[in-house]
Amino acid sequence: MRTALAMKTTEPAAAVAAGASPPAPAYLSLDGVGKAYGSRHGAVQALAGIGLEVREGEFLSILGPSGCGKSTLLKCIGGLEDITGGSLRLRGRPLSGPPPKAGMVFQRDVLLDWRTVLDNVLITAEFLRLRREDLKPRALQLLQRFGLSGFENRHPWELSGGMRQRASICRALLCDPELLLMDEPFGALDAMTRDDLNLELARIWQDTRKTVIFVTHGISEAIFLSDRVVMMDRNPGRIVEVLDIDLPRPRHLALRETPEFGRYVAHIRHLFAGLGILKEG
Ligand code: ADP
Ligand code: MG
C-alpha cells in the first residue's frame, strides 16, 4: 500500500538538518546522541546517531520494538543516564543532568506503599525543597482532576493499577513541569483503562500544552496522542522515521475508527514490517 506518499515524514538525518528553520523554535535538540552501556559481555550500543528536534509544546511519541532503546533515550533526556556520544541542548544551551523543569512517569508506578496517595503526590515538593503546605491545594486539585477525590488518604495498595498510574501522573505534574517524560505509562493497564487514560492525557495536554515525550510500543496509542511519532529500530537503537500526525484535535476515541487514522496505522505497520519487526497481513 502506498500510504507513504500521502504522509509527511522526515528522515532522521533531515530531522537534524530541518533544525535550521523548524516550524516552531527547537526546545530540545539531540545531535548525534549515542549511548553505550558497559556489560560483562562487552559494550552494548543502545543508541546511535540520534538526531531530533523536539518542539516546544508538542506531543511527541517514541515508538519501537522492545530493546530499541526507547527507555534509554528517555533516561538520557531526563538526565538519569549520561550520553556517550553527541550532544543534548535545551533551548540552545548544552544540557547535562536533568532538565530543570521536567516530570517523569514510568511504566511501573514508583509510589511508596507506606505513604498516602496525597503524600506520594507531594513527594515532588520535598525533592525540590518546596513547602508541602504551599503545594497541597494544587495536589488536591490534580487528584480531583484525575478522578481520585476521596482517595487522598488511601494507600497505593488500596488502588487499582489505573488509579496508581493516575496518582503517578499527578505527582509528575505537581510542580507544573514544562517537560513531561513518560515511559510506557499505560503499558501494564487493561485496554479500557488505557483508553480512559489516553483521553485524560490528551485533555491535559490540550489544556496545558506541555512538551510531552511519550514512549510506547502501541501504534494506535502513539497516533492518537501525538503531533509526531518517532519510529525506532534496534541493534543499535536508532531513528528510522519521524511521522507527522495531521489529525484534528480535540481527538475522541472514535477517531481510531476513521480511514485517516487507519492510514497512519497502515503506514507504521508497513514500515515495521519492512524492518522485519512486524508481519504484514
Ligand atoms: P526499550 O526501552 O526500547 O525496550 P532499553 O532502552 O531498555 O530498550 O534497552 C536498549 C538496549 O540497551 C537493550 O539491548 C538493553 O538490553 C540494553 N540496556 C538497557 N539498560 C542497560 C543497562 N543498564 N546495562 C546494560 N545494557 C542495558
Ligand atoms: Mg523500555
Side-chain angles (χ1 to χ4, degrees), residues 35 37-39 44-47 64-73 75 81 183-184 215 232 235 237:
K35 171 69 186 176
Y37 290 109
S39 84
V44 177
Q45 192 69 40
L47 297 174
S66 180
C68 73
K70 303 182 296 299
S71 295
T72 300
L73 181 58
K75 284 186 210 157
E81 290 282 2
D183 191 356
E184 305 207 34
V215 163
M232 292 182 67
N235 299 322

Side-chain angles (χ1 to χ4, degrees), residues 82-157:
D82 290 329
I83 57 176
T84 52
S87 64
L88 278 168
R89 286 173 176 272
L90 189 73
R91 294 204 175 91
R93 299 220 170 120
L95 177 69
S96 60
K101 292 184 178 166
M104 279 194 93
V105 183
F106 302 93
Q107 174 170 4
R108 277 195 48 232
D109 64 74
V110 275
L111 300 175
L112 303 174
D113 262 341
W114 61 90
R115 299 185 80 151
T116 63
V117 170
L118 178 61
D119 283 343
N120 265 289
V121 174
L122 283 169
I123 211 167
T124 313
E126 293 167 34
F127 287 147
L128 296 175
R129 296 177 191 278
L130 301 169
R131 276 167 46 96
R132 264 176 63 93
E133 287 313 305
D134 293 345
L135 283 158
K136 198 169 158 183
R138 179 167 163 83
L140 291 170
Q141 200 182 24
L142 280 166
L143 287 168
Q144 185 191 23
R145 166 128 209 211
F146 278 85
L148 290 171
S149 286
F151 290 89
E152 299 88 349
N153 297 316
R154 301 285 191 91
H155 286 82
W157 40 268

Side-chain angles (χ1 to χ4, degrees), residues 163-230:
M163 292 162 96
R164 291 176 69 114
Q165 238 10 352
R166 287 187 172 97
S168 303
I169 295 172
C170 291
R171 180 169 61 189
L173 290 174
L174 181 70
C175 292
D176 202 18
E178 57 180 33
L179 174 64
L180 197 54
L181 302 174
M182 308 183 87
D183 191 356
E184 305 207 34
F186 311 142
L189 305 177
D190 63 84
M192 276 191 253
T193 307
R194 194 173 180 145
D195 282 355
D196 280 350
L197 280 166
N198 276 338
L199 274 178
E200 282 174 38
L201 182 59
R203 238 175 263 142
I204 285 278
W205 177 83
Q206 188 99 23
D207 291 352
T208 60
R209 294 299 167 125
K210 294 184 184 310
T211 307
V212 181
I213 306 181
F214 183 92
V215 163
T216 179
H217 58 246
I219 295 176
S220 179
E221 180 173 78
I223 300 168
F224 182 77
L225 289 168
S226 307
D227 296 317
R228 291 192 300 158
V229 177
V230 174

